[in-house]
Amino acid sequence: MSLSRHINAEEVIEACKEHPHKKHSIRGTGYHQSWRRDEDAQLAPKYTMPKVGIPAKAAYQLLHDQTALDGNPLLNLASFVHTWMPEEADKLIMENINKNIVDLDEYPAASIIHNRAISMLADLWKAPKDGKVIGTATAGSSEAIMLGGLAMKKRWQEARKAAGKDYFHPNIIFGSNAQVALEKFARYFDVETRLVPVKASNGFIMDPNDALQFIDENTIGVIVILGSTYTGHFENVALMGKLLDDLQERTGLDIPIHVDGASGAFIAPFAYPKLKWSFDVPRVVSINTSGHKFGLVYAGLGWVLWRDEKYLHKDLVFELHYLGSTEYSFTLNFSKPAAPVIAQMFNFLNLGFEGYRKIAIKDLRNARLLSRALENTYFEVLSEVHRPVSGDKHDVDDPEHYLPGLPVVSFRLSDKFKQEYPHVQQGWVQSLLRTKGWIVPNYNAPLGAEEVEILRVVVRETLSQDLVERLIVDILEVTEQILVPNNVMAAITPTSTQTLHQPDKSHGRPDKDNFGDAEVEGGQTQAGFSRQC
């Protein structure tokens, strides 16, 4: 959720009175008018609560019309967040929209469904049979990462206290390709961030060998990313575990791994069942994922599991008695809707393992289709899920015949193209695709390869083969449109409501859920009062 500033309505209106756009306002007030036959919404203020409410139909129509200005979720290829569920799931969600899952006494069925989901995920992630796996639903992977990090920090502090050593200077290790939630954890909970620079040669992800030099006795853990938001690559969990085993033999340092499987933990089990990345790697103590990404649930659901309850310190677990029964909680927020958890169980029951596998295979097939089409044109493809494992054929459908990764296609203008057409800016491709409805972000690679610009498409369940074919045509069409310098200004003209998209030069991590619109929204926010009118 982005930060928003309070808007002084009176100051905005005063600024509008003498503005050239005043002629477009109703009565010069900046008030809403929803639809022609309904005057109720006309005087509803924008930034203060109305003294007297308006009819439900008018309020609905006003907000319905406003939200129609949003982009089409189907064409939002910047986002990993799932945007469609069957009508039976929609019905279940609405039937349970008013339930608070934290109230176990009042809603015991929802609690049982939550417990079953934890067990299913534990089995999917190869939890040890002799372990006491524990976990919880969260408000997305961001909260899940916070909880996983807090558990590692608390366990490290207790070990340091027991040894009579300093426990005030913890640090955590992860690649510079990490999503911003990982840095949020470190900043919010006073843990030093040690970013491992990435290299283009290994797909802009953390090399486990490079991570070792950042580790010391104050390291609470290493976060390994199963599915980079930049290129979809999987970091090597098994190798990181082996290197940390060797480190412990040499130095005595016992460093745990948390796997950020925000996207990959719902792809790898189905598409790459032989890949070692989960609790079958003994060094992995916790895993998080987003149910609202490749778990195929609407936004607002994450999960975090620990391989054994000993990795979740008892001081972090709260015992509650005032809702009618004894309850145990470890989350950053208390109340939580039951509907997303029930929607996740619907998918587990409706799809089963084979259903999830079919969708993962289809998504990866469509990613290969797009990758191969782009690779033979003006672009270099940086993602690698279309590249066969050495000796394998190109025409097989089994994902295990290709390099593992998310169904993501990351690409850039080729060096040859940039030499022939030096006037072309890659950000223009993003802007022109937006005019056709497609949201495809253009951004800089992370620290270590920040000079590289990347365009990225997330291939979700809703991006069918037919849409991929249309997308290919549109990408090539807009690219050819800007080959001639005179066509550029005709094709892209900045206005008060659209600016040219330039890559972020701050080298910050992209937002986990959706960073395709950040520059447009930021531009509008900073434009002053005239944009508010």
Side-chain angles (χ1 to χ4, degrees):
M1 184 67 67
S2 61
L3 290 170
S4 300
R5 294 188 183 278
H6 167 66
I7 295 174
N8 186 313
E10 295 181 0
E11 192 174 344
V12 171
I13 292 170
E14 286 301 315
C16 288
K17 287 182 178 179
E18 302 302 324
H19 196 277
H21 292 170
K22 177 184 174 183
K23 61 182 180 181
H24 300 301
S25 301
I26 299 173
R27 302 182 184 175
T29 63
Y31 289 149
H32 292 289
Q33 183 169 5
S34 180
W35 47 301
R36 289 187 177 182
R37 296 195 180 200
D38 183 5
E39 299 298 320
D40 294 311
Q42 181 177 345
L43 298 180
K46 285 186 178 180
Y47 303 110
T48 58
M49 187 179 295
K51 290 183 173 59
V52 178
I54 61 178
K57 182 175 178 60
Y60 165 81
Q61 191 66 43
L62 187 152
L63 294 172
H64 172 82
D65 292 346
Q66 287 184 0
T67 55
L69 297 173
D70 286 338
N72 183 346
L74 178 67
L75 304 182
N76 181 5
L77 308 183
S79 178
F80 287 86
V81 175
H82 194 65
T83 57
W84 174 86
M85 293 191 76
E87 62 178 272
E88 293 84 0
D90 291 343
K91 185 177 179 181
L92 267 176
I93 289 170
M94 293 311 300
E95 289 173 355
N96 293 277
I97 199 75
N98 58 349
K99 293 181 180 178
N100 181 6
I101 201 169
V102 78
D103 194 343
L104 308 186
D105 188 62
E106 184 70 22
Y107 307 116
S111 176
I112 291 171
I113 290 171
H114 175 272
N115 295 346
R116 289 170 59 197
I118 293 294
S119 293
M120 290 182 182
L121 287 171
D123 180 69
L124 186 67
W125 295 343
K126 302 178 181 178
K129 300 301 181 184
D130 57 346
K132 297 180 179 179
V133 176
I134 191 168
T136 183
T138 61
S141 267
S142 293
E143 183 187 6
I145 287 171
M146 304 281 177
L147 300 181
L150 276 173
M152 288 195 296
K153 178 183 177 183
K154 187 66 174 179
R155 188 164 179 262
W156 172 84
Q157 286 178 324
E158 287 299 300
R160 298 285 289 181
K161 288 178 184 178
K165 297 181 179 179
D166 170 79
Y167 57 92
F168 297 105
H169 301 90
N171 66 67
I172 192 165
I173 314 296
F174 47 80
S176 63
N177 59 308
Q179 194 271 342
V180 71
L182 278 66
E183 287 198 57
K184 281 185 177 180
F185 157 73
R187 190 180 302 179
Y188 290 174
F189 296 102
D190 293 323
V191 178
E192 177 193 351
T193 301
R194 293 188 175 179
L195 292 178
V196 182
V198 303
K199 301 183 288 286
S201 58
N202 72 333
F204 308 96
I205 58 174
M206 180 183 72
D207 183 332
N209 291 284
D210 293 340
L212 289 180
Q213 62 185 298
F214 293 90
I215 295 172
D216 60 24
E217 64 178 2
N218 292 322
T219 300
I220 66 172
V222 177
I223 298 182
V224 184
I225 300 169
L226 195 75
S228 172
T229 54
Y230 287 87
T231 58
H233 284 80
F234 289 169
E235 293 179 346
N236 195 329
V237 181
L239 177 57
M240 190 76 255
K242 181 179 182 301
L243 292 174
L244 291 175
D245 288 343
D246 294 341
L247 180 68
Q248 184 174 8
E249 288 183 11
R250 290 186 285 106
T251 67
L253 294 176
D254 183 11
I255 309 298
I257 292 175
H258 173 89
V259 175
D260 176 14
S263 297
F266 266 116
I267 289 291
F270 307 110
Y272 312 104
K274 297 177 184 177
L275 183 68
K276 291 192 67 171
W277 65 273
S278 55
F279 290 128
D280 53 348
V281 178
R283 189 65 59 170
V284 173
V285 300
S286 51
I287 302 171
N288 73 274
T289 193
S290 288
H292 64 224
K293 291 176 184 165
F294 292 103
L296 309 181
V297 176
Y298 296 129
L301 180 66
W303 300 93
V304 59
L305 272 66
W306 288 267
R307 72 180 301 121
D308 191 277
E309 59 184 19
K310 70 180 181 182
Y311 294 104
L312 181 55
H313 196 279
K314 64 179 184 302
D315 286 352
L316 295 175
V317 179
F318 288 83
E319 185 174 314
L320 312 167
H321 302 277
Y322 57 82
L323 290 177
S325 64
T326 300
E327 302 166 13
Y328 299 92
S329 173
F330 176 43
T331 52
L332 297 182
N333 63 315
F334 187 58
S335 296
K336 192 175 272 86
V341 174
I342 295 169
Q344 184 75 82
M345 182 56 71
F346 169 86
N347 278 342
F348 288 171
L349 297 175
N350 178 238
L351 293 173
F353 186 94
E354 283 303 314
Y356 269 103
R357 177 169 167 78
K358 287 179 181 178
I359 291 172
I361 290 174
K362 184 203 75 169
D363 291 348
L364 288 162
R365 182 193 307 127
N366 287 337
R368 291 196 299 273
L369 172 65
L370 176 58
S371 299
R372 290 167 180 167
L374 294 176
E375 205 163 44
N376 295 318
T377 58
Y378 310 112
F379 299 96
E380 172 192 355
V381 177
L382 304 173
S383 49
E384 296 186 321
V385 291
H386 65 297
R387 304 195 192 283
V389 176
S390 179
D392 281 354
K393 297 180 180 179
H394 287 69
D395 57 350
V396 294
D397 205 32
D398 187 345
E400 291 196 291
H401 287 270
Y402 303 88
L403 295 176
L406 301 178
V408 164
V409 180
S410 296
F411 56 104
R412 61 188 287 265
L413 293 171
S414 67
D415 292 336
K416 179 182 177 183
F417 179 94
K418 289 189 285 188
Q419 289 175 359
E420 293 181 5
Y421 304 98
H423 70 282
V424 172
Q425 297 180 32
Q426 189 167 289
W428 295 347
V429 177
Q430 174 188 3
S431 294
L432 284 176
L433 285 174
R434 187 64 182 264
T435 66
K436 294 178 177 289
W438 303 105
I439 301 175
V440 177
N442 181 66
Y443 52 90
N444 283 87
L447 180 67
E450 52 268 52
E451 73 284 353
V452 179
E453 291 182 44
I454 302 174
L455 290 156
R456 191 201 67 195
V457 169
V458 179
V459 181
R460 303 194 305 275
E461 181 188 8
T462 50
L463 189 64
S464 65
Q465 181 175 327
D466 182 65
L467 285 174
V468 169
E469 292 172 355
R470 181 67 256 174
L471 175 63
I472 293 167
V473 172
D474 285 343
I475 290 174
L476 297 180
E477 182 179 281
V478 302
T479 306
E480 291 170 355
Q481 187 176 355
I482 56 180
L483 296 183
V484 181
N486 291 339
N487 287 347
V488 176
M489 291 306 297
I492 310 175
T493 303
T495 68
S496 62
T497 58
Q498 180 180 356
T499 58
L500 290 182
H501 289 245
Q502 299 297 337
D504 178 15
K505 301 299 184 182
S506 65
H507 318 308
R509 256 58 59 203
D511 182 81
K512 175 168 285 193
D513 293 335
N514 183 355
F515 55 92
D517 294 335
E519 294 167 12
V520 175
E521 294 171 356
Q524 290 178 343
T525 301
Q526 297 168 8
F529 292 133
S530 62
R531 201 66 66 82
Q532 302 291 345
C533 300

